[in-house]
């Protein structure tokens, strides 16, 4: 009896979906008719408005005798007023009204319009998905579908959703992006369940398949030029190691994978200028880095941490080298990346303390780069950031390296130098650090 009910429900859903598709075609046909009528009305209105501009009888009025013409010239000041009075009658109808794009009100209106135009489509898709889900759940409860077939259904459904989104991407750009995100989510969870719950795939095969899904999502983000898909792909890529984790500490393989993900992040920042991707990648990379440094300290960490520091530094400076732009968010990421990299590199070897040397090296790098910026562009925000970082790191290096008495003498000399630079250049960055250093 339950099987008959399930089949009837599925048939009704299919019929309803066909009816929805027919109604949508009829609505689209009526929309085309309305658009054609609007275009015809606009053409007629433009032709009727342009006719008064061609006929101008004022040109034939001033044909009078010569003595009267002098009087007319003396009293001809109202004529420009007449010409100015004619122009506002015709010209305002042709001047396009400025559209206020990127406003919150227009975003709300576009969203409401999208829901109105695609209500039948959304309703049909949701109904079909619910019907299929109910039918699949009933089949699983009745043990008609084994675990292997469940995984195959999940993969087929995920790929089918992505294929459907690819077909409707031209007419429904926003909705296709949502569908692609849903399809990728189905693939991620299906592969994870196949590994963790059903034990159908090994760890290496599952990780390889999740990497393929991540690469596919990055390619789709570039293909559709959708930042939302890029955000989803980078989050899914960094979450993939957690999905297949078994507690083993294979950090070399993990950070090789993270370096590849950050290279794709750098490509997105370079080609598409999607800066938010770099912030998400930096957050995940920092979490993984501190977890690894707490688990173990090995010399190979030097290589990975230096590579990651260079990748994120290049990401924050792409816009500066392109068009001499350096935003506040770039500044925050640049400072955080420098400080965290110095901390991580200082913690690598527990037997030898390299804190002073690493801080001095990072401070010298920032000082040299500050000198380059000063001689080339003199970008104020970037220059102040580099100066502040170099002062902080060199000060920290002095504090780590020497005893209290020597450090106090160095800090006194540094505060005097900061006071001199502040009075000489009137830059607030030197004033702030002088106030911090002098006490």
């Amino acid at each position: 009896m339950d099987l008959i009910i399930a089949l009837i429900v599925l048939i009704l859903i299919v019929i309803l979906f066909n009816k929805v598709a027919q109604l949508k075609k009829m609505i689209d046909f009526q929309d085309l008719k309305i658009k054609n009528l609007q275009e015809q009305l606009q053409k007629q209105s433009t032709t009727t408005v342009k006719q008064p501009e061609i006929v101008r009888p004022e040109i034939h009025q001033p044909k009078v005798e010569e003595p009267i013409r002098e009087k007319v010239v003396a009293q001809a000041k109202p004529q420009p007023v007449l010409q100015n009075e004619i122009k506002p009658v015709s010209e305002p109808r042709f001047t396009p009204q400025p559209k206020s794009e990127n406003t919150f009100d227009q975003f709300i209106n576009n969203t409401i319009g999208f829901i109105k135009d695609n209500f039948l489509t959304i309703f049909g898709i949701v109904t079909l998905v619910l019907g299929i889900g109910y039918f699949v759940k009933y089949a699983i409860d009745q043990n008609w579908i084994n675990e292997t077939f469940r995984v195959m259904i999940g993969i087929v459904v995920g790929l089918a959703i992505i294929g459907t989104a690819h077909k409707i991407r031209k007419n429904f750009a926003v909705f296709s992006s949502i569908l692609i995100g849903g399809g990728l989510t189905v693939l991620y969870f299906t592969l994870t369940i196949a590994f963790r719950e059903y034990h159908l795939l090994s760890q290496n095969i599952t990780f390889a398949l999740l990497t393929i899904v991540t690469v596919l999502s990055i390619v789709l983000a570039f293909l559709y030029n959708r930042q939302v898909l890029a955000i989803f792909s980078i989050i899914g890529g960094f979450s993939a190691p957690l999905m297949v984790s078994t507690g083993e500490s294979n950090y070399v393989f993990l950070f090789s994978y993270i370096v590849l993900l950050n290279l794709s992040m750098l490509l997105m920042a370079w080609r598409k200028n999607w800066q938010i991707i770099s912030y998400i990648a930096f957050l995940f990379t920092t979490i993984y880095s501190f977890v690894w440094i707490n688990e173990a300290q090995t010399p190979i960490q030097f290589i990975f941490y230096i590579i990651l520091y260079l990748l994120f530094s290049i990401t924050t400076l792409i816009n500066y080298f392109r068009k001499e732009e350096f935003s506040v968010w770039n500044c925050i990421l640049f400072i955080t990346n420098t400080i965290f990299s110095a901390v991580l590199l200082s913690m690598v070897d527990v037997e030898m303390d390299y804190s002073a040397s690493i801080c001095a090296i990072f401070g010298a790098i920032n000082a040299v780069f500050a000198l380059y910026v000063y001689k080339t562009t003199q970008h104020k925000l970037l220059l102040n950031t580099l100066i502040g970082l170099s002062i902080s790191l060199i000060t920290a290096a002095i504090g780590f390296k020497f005893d209290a008495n020597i450090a106090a003498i160095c800090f006194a000399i540094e505060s005097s130098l900061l006071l001199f630079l502040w009075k000489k250049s009137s830059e607030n960055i030197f004033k702030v650090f002088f106030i911090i250093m002098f006490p």
Side-chain angles (χ1 to χ4, degrees), residues 15 41-42 47 65 116 172 220 259 311 314 353 374:
I15 294 171
L41 290 173
Q42 287 178 358
T47 52
E65 295 180 359
K116 287 182 179 178
F172 308 104
L220 290 175
V259 168
L311 285 175
I314 294 170
D353 189 6
Y374 178 76

Side-chain angles (χ1 to χ4, degrees), residues 356-368:
S357 302
I358 291 171
C359 289
I361 291 171
F362 274 97
I365 292 172
N366 285 277
V368 172

